């Protein structure tokens, strides 16, 4: 027996005290409505309406049932609404990964956007490299992440990508900092300071391939996991980094210069499993793309010169 359906019929009849009007409100014929009420009475073993007079009246049992039925139906409505919010990704826990170098202002902007669009969502942020995120997404121990491309993973979907132009980070005292741009070949003999290959193998190999293609084979590749360590190695001399302009703003002794002969771009996007994805994953992907795009202003050029060159993407991995 569909108890809730029969209770809904009963509540409408109890309020209208007229089977004809109640049937019209419910969008059904009167005979099936009468049968529904009779079946409910048989199920509960009581009479709900006094039918001894021409006017329909509630019995004592009917009056008591009305309050309980309304409360039960209201609870059903709240339950369905709650489950609807869960299906829409507006409630529950979301386990999200972000790269270690993500600026605090970017994290704050992303969390603010999530709080606006899904205030009931509990976001657990984890500081993870691209390789760690790909592994955890495959294991279903992470719901969504921000990864650096290229990424080799058949079981993932990717959100809208954001391409960030890269340039050279070098000490402001370096002679190379006097120019408006720096050719990669001019870095011959210098070390490359970058994240360890294990953190994002696809990106690491792509970066070294572009460097070699344009005449720079770094003397050494020196791993640096966090920006402060990277700055220290660059300022110590003998090494440079290839990073976004925003990173240079954290250290006044570091200069950023565009590349003269190679338009190198780092592509970042949200990623989540293709199957059994968290309901909020696609929303997070869209918000992340908006936040990342807004966080990357036009790269500076110093000293002043012609307008910056366009930044074509050298690879495409939209998934």
């Amino acid at each position: 027996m569909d108890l809730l359906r029969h209770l809904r019929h009963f509540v409408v009849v109890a309020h209208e005290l007229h089977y004809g009007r109640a049937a019209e409100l419910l969008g059904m014929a009167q005979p099936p409505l009468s049968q529904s009420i009779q079946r409910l009475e048989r199920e509960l073993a009581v009479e709900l309406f006094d039918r001894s007079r021409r006017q329909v009246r509630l019995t004592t049992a009917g009056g008591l049932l009305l309050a309980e039925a309304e409360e039960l139906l209201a609870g059903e409505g709240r339950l369905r609404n709650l489950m609807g919010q869960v299906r829409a990704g507006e409630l529950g826990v979301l386990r999200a990964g972000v790269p270690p170098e993500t600026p605090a202002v970017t994290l704050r902007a992303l969390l603010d956007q999530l709080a606006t669009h899904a205030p009931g969502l509990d976001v657990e942020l984890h500081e993870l490299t691209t390789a760690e995120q790909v592994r955890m997404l495959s294991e279903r121990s992470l719901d969504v992440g921000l990864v650096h491309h290229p990424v080799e993973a058949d079981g993932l979907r990717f959100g809208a990508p954001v391409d960030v132009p890269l340039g050279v980070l070098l000490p402001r005292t370096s002679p190379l900092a006097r120019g408006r741009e720096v050719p990669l070949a001019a870095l011959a003999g210098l070390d490359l300071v970058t994240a360890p290959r294990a953190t994002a193998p696809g990106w690491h190999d792509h970066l070294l391939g572009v460097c070699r293609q344009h005449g720079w084979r770094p003397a050494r590749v020196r791993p640096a996991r966090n920006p402060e360590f990277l700055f220290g190695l660059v300022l110590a001399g003998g090494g440079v980094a290839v990073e976004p302009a925003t990173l240079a703003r954290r250290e006044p002794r570091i200069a950023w210069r565009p590349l003269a002969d190679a338009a190198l771009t780092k592509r970042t996007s949200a990623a989540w499993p293709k199957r059994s994805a968290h309901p909020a994953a696609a929303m997070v992907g869209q918000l992340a793309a908006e936040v990342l795009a807004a966080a990357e202003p036009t790269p500076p050029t110093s000293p002043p010169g012609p307008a910056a060159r366009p930044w074509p993407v050298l690879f495409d991995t939209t998934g």
Side-chain angles (χ1 to χ4, degrees):
M1 176 183 180
D2 187 349
L3 180 61
L4 291 176
R5 180 170 64 89
H6 294 300
L7 286 175
R8 279 191 287 271
H9 294 169
F10 162 73
V11 168
V12 176
V13 175
H15 282 293
E16 294 299 320
L17 295 176
H18 191 282
Y19 277 87
R21 290 196 299 268
E24 185 177 352
L25 288 173
L26 289 167
M28 61 189 299
Q30 184 172 333
L33 176 59
S34 298
Q35 294 168 10
S36 176
I37 299 301
Q38 291 169 9
R39 186 171 181 182
L40 180 62
E41 289 177 323
R42 289 196 300 271
E43 179 71 21
L44 300 178
V46 295
E47 289 188 355
L48 301 174
F49 294 99
D50 181 359
R51 300 176 178 85
S52 62
R53 302 180 183 181
R54 304 183 76 179
Q55 184 178 2
V56 178
R57 294 176 180 271
L58 283 170
T59 63
T60 300
L64 292 173
L65 178 62
L66 178 59
E68 295 293 333
E70 289 179 326
E71 184 176 345
L72 182 60
L73 292 173
E76 181 209 16
R78 290 192 296 270
L79 179 62
R80 291 184 180 277
N81 181 63
L82 183 67
M83 293 302 100
Q85 289 180 288
V86 172
R87 288 195 304 273
E90 298 172 358
L91 291 178
V93 177
L94 176 77
R95 301 163 299 178
V98 294
E101 72 275 10
T102 306
V105 65
T106 302
L107 287 178
R108 176 60 185 272
L110 179 57
L111 289 173
D112 286 347
Q113 287 293 323
L114 286 170
T116 298
H117 287 79
L121 193 63
D122 182 11
V123 181
E124 290 184 359
L125 276 184
H126 301 272
E127 185 183 46
L128 299 166
T129 65
T130 291
E132 291 170 334
Q133 291 183 55
V134 170
R135 174 179 57 80
M136 293 177 67
L137 287 167
S138 300
E139 296 171 351
R140 300 296 194 272
S141 56
L142 195 69
D143 298 311
V144 64
L146 291 179
V147 299
H148 299 315
H149 292 274
V151 172
E152 296 293 337
D154 294 333
L156 297 182
R157 294 188 185 278
F158 299 101
V162 175
D163 299 318
V164 178
L166 304 183
V168 181
L169 298 187
L170 63 165
R172 288 195 176 276
T173 56
S174 169
L176 292 173
R178 298 172 188 167
R180 187 178 67 86
E181 297 178 329
V182 176
L184 280 173
L187 303 176
L190 296 175
D191 297 340
L192 171 64
V193 183
T194 189
R197 184 180 186 277
T199 63
W203 166 248
H204 188 276
D205 294 346
H206 173 73
L207 173 60
L208 289 179
V210 172
C211 291
R212 289 192 295 267
Q213 179 184 351
H214 290 82
W216 178 34
R217 292 182 176 270
R220 288 183 300 172
V221 178
R222 307 177 68 177
R225 283 183 172 269
N226 65 74
E228 294 303 321
F229 188 64
L230 181 147
F231 292 150
L233 292 180
V234 171
L235 290 171
V240 297
V242 179
E243 298 288 344
T246 51
L247 187 62
R249 297 192 180 97
R250 303 190 195 183
E251 172 52 66
R253 294 171 294 175
I254 293 287
W256 184 91
R257 295 293 179 266
L259 297 172
D261 53 356
L264 188 58
T265 303
K266 177 177 280 190
R267 169 166 288 185
T268 303
S269 78
W272 60 89
K274 287 183 178 179
R275 296 183 178 180
S276 303
H278 191 287
M283 176 189 68
V284 174
Q286 178 181 349
L287 295 178
E290 295 172 359
V291 168
L292 290 174
E296 188 61 32
T298 303
T301 56
S302 178
R309 62 190 295 176
W311 299 94
V313 179
L314 298 186
F315 57 88
D316 183 68
T317 52
T318 58

